[in-house]
Amino acid sequence: MIKQLLVLSKDQAFLARLNKAGQQNDWQITALTTATSIVVALNQADYDGLLWDLAASNLDTTLATVMLIRETFAHPIIAIATTPSEREQRKLYRAKADAVIDRTLAMSVFSALFDQRTWAYQNAPATVAT
């Protein structure tokens, strides 16, 4: 089954690596360059995950957007950075990001992480309203 991965990044070299991994893993990758375009895309189509390059927007914009998205997006949100700081990681986890990874992480490891997170969301028990 093809997985739809939405990506926020302006880094062409990273996107090339990701597209190559996508071909090997049956991912359909939609790459965008602004936080606003991510919100619009999520309102127009279904995606299996979001990969957010922290170099593409400032931390405040990232946090505000991730918190907004998380209200309705029940799929993995993974942030990438070059050596993510403790502060960035802490704030992103509080905003309900699923993972914060280093940009140099091998694509095979990212693939395993994305598959695991996707599986976890698909197999999570439904919440019961009380």
Side-chain angles (χ1 to χ4, degrees):
M1 182 172 89
I2 295 176
K3 293 180 184 163
Q4 302 295 321
L5 180 59
L6 187 58
V7 180
L8 173 70
S9 183
K10 297 176 184 178
D11 182 337
Q12 294 302 314
F14 175 76
L15 289 171
R17 285 179 52 219
L18 189 62
N19 278 316
K20 184 176 179 182
Q23 292 170 353
Q24 297 168 347
N25 292 286
D26 290 328
W27 301 337
Q28 177 66 45
I29 297 171
T30 302
L32 300 172
T33 58
T34 66
T36 303
S37 63
I38 292 291
V39 173
V40 170
L42 288 172
N43 285 323
Q44 294 177 343
D46 292 327
Y47 292 91
D48 298 301
L50 171 60
L51 181 59
W52 191 291
D53 183 349
L54 295 179
S57 65
N58 69 51
L59 186 59
D60 289 337
T61 299
T62 298
L63 294 170
T65 308
V66 168
M67 285 188 289
L68 174 71
I69 290 167
R70 185 44 86 197
E71 292 180 16
T72 58
F73 189 66
H75 302 282
I77 298 175
I78 301 170
I80 62 165
T82 302
T83 316
S85 71
E86 180 183 327
R87 177 181 170 267
E88 288 173 321
Q89 292 178 62
R90 185 179 62 248
K91 287 186 173 223
L92 284 158
Y93 287 129
R94 287 183 179 152
K96 307 299 185 245
D98 290 278
V100 182
I101 60 174
D102 191 287
R103 174 182 308 282
T104 61
L105 183 72
M107 280 294 146
S108 61
V109 177
F110 171 74
S111 174
L113 172 69
F114 181 59
D115 286 347
Q116 185 278 329
R117 298 298 161 106
T118 302
W119 176 87
Y121 275 92
Q122 291 172 345
N123 292 286
T127 49
V128 178
T130 55

